[in-house]
Amino acid sequence: MNYRNEATQALERAKTILKEDKNPRYVALELRMAFECLVYDRASLFSEELSNKKLSTWQPKKLLSLLMEIDPDADKSCSISVGLQEELGKPANDLSLLGSERVLGLSEIKKYYDRLGSYLHTPTIEQVIEKKGATPEKIITRCNEIITILEAVLSSPVFNVNFRNWSSILCERCNAKIVRRIPFEAKRITAKCIECSASYQVTSLDNNKVEWMPIKYKIKCAKNTCGHINKLWEEEKELNNSFLCSICGSENNLVLCVSVKNH
Ligand SMILES: [Zn+2]
Ligand SMILES: [Zn+2]
């Protein structure tokens, strides 16, 4: 499916319904579909990095957040310029702009997607009593704001820009392959396994090398006779969680406690 074309068609249908002064809820439905198409279009650029399971995530907000785990710039607009490099490794001084890509941002999806969904439901009894349901005028105002955004996105002279500078490892915790796009200027970023959420600090070194360090927290075994320092992943060090000491096997519980300062 050509999602970008589908998005353009949904946008055109939305504009026609608005022009014909029909029920604005149908406009909301078309714009919601355009949002979904644009995020699925973006996700198709990441098919190598995402498992099939993750690609089936349908909510645009969740899917785009997932893409941003792999590439923190997945929802950023960008420009492409070309120029003749005078010195190896240094950007050309004289650059000609080829075009800019306007991408749908996560903040825009957060702001509008659920709201569009709410327009498709009958107002609840509470909304009617408190006069909180969206009026047709309100829906039209929001839809016009969204149309402006979608027109900018869909009229970008360049789109689906996909330059990749990436690195991968097998997750130390669950053995899944983690692929992370490394921003060109970044020295250090955090990467999360999309299967088990284990976090890693990824550092760009010289000679195109990348170092992955698991982010773990040191927690001392509470058994008096042991005191071994265990290392826990971020999600494991939550209140009320427990872990088995890797040396003495004691079950340690992470609890709140009160202590008295020594004078
Ligand atoms: Zn993992
Ligand atoms: Zn122990």
Side-chain angles (χ1 to χ4, degrees), residues 221 226 245 248:
C221 172
C226 178
C245 171
C248 72

Side-chain angles (χ1 to χ4, degrees), residues 127-161:
Q127 283 173 326
V128 173
I129 292 171
E130 294 181 6
K131 296 195 168 80
K132 277 187 176 167
T135 59
E137 295 73 35
K138 223 189 223 177
I139 298 178
I140 290 173
T141 306
R142 289 287 173 230
C143 286
N144 275 321
E145 286 171 23
I146 297 166
I147 286 173
T148 308
I149 293 170
L150 291 176
E151 279 179 334
V153 170
L154 288 164
S155 63
S156 293
V158 289
F159 54 89
N160 289 347
V161 174

Side-chain angles (χ1 to χ4, degrees), residues 221-223 226-228 230 245-250 252:
C221 172
K223 191 176 175 185
C226 178
H228 174 67
N230 290 272
C245 171
S246 62
I247 294 293
C248 72
S250 300
N252 284 255

Side-chain angles (χ1 to χ4, degrees), residues 206-234:
D206 292 338
N207 302 325
N208 290 328
K209 283 189 181 147
V210 173
E211 179 188 70
W212 290 70
M213 288 287 287
I215 300 176
K216 285 184 169 179
Y217 296 84
K218 292 177 181 172
I219 298 190
K220 199 173 171 183
C221 172
K223 191 176 175 185
N224 281 343
T225 51
C226 178
H228 174 67
I229 305 289
N230 290 272
K231 289 181 180 173
L232 302 190
W233 295 97
E234 195 168 8

Side-chain angles (χ1 to χ4, degrees), residues 3 6 8 36 40 49 61 71-72 89 93 98 118 155 160 186 189 207 216 237 247 256 261:
Y3 284 119
E6 293 290 324
T8 306
E36 288 165 5
Y40 297 165
E49 292 105 324
K61 210 172 12 179
D71 179 2
N93 291 324
L98 281 184
S118 73
S155 63
N160 289 347
I189 53 168
N207 302 325
K216 285 184 169 179
K237 66 164 181 65
I247 294 293
L256 283 177
K261 269 190 181 173

Side-chain angles (χ1 to χ4, degrees), residues 150-208:
L150 291 176
E151 279 179 334
V153 170
L154 288 164
S155 63
S156 293
V158 289
F159 54 89
N160 289 347
V161 174
N162 191 23
F163 294 126
R164 295 195 301 164
N165 180 27
W166 59 276
S167 169
S168 78
I169 58 155
L170 289 181
C171 177
E172 194 180 297
R173 189 173 173 200
C174 75
N175 215 33
K177 189 176 178 188
I178 311 174
V179 183
R180 186 67 150 82
R181 297 191 183 195
I182 312 291
F184 288 98
E185 74 289 358
K187 277 278 168 226
R188 185 169 286 171
I189 53 168
T190 304
K192 262 191 179 177
C193 170
I194 58 173
E195 295 295 334
C196 77
S197 295
S199 317
Y200 296 81
Q201 194 171 70
V202 187
T203 311
S204 310
L205 306 173
D206 292 338
N207 302 325
N208 290 328

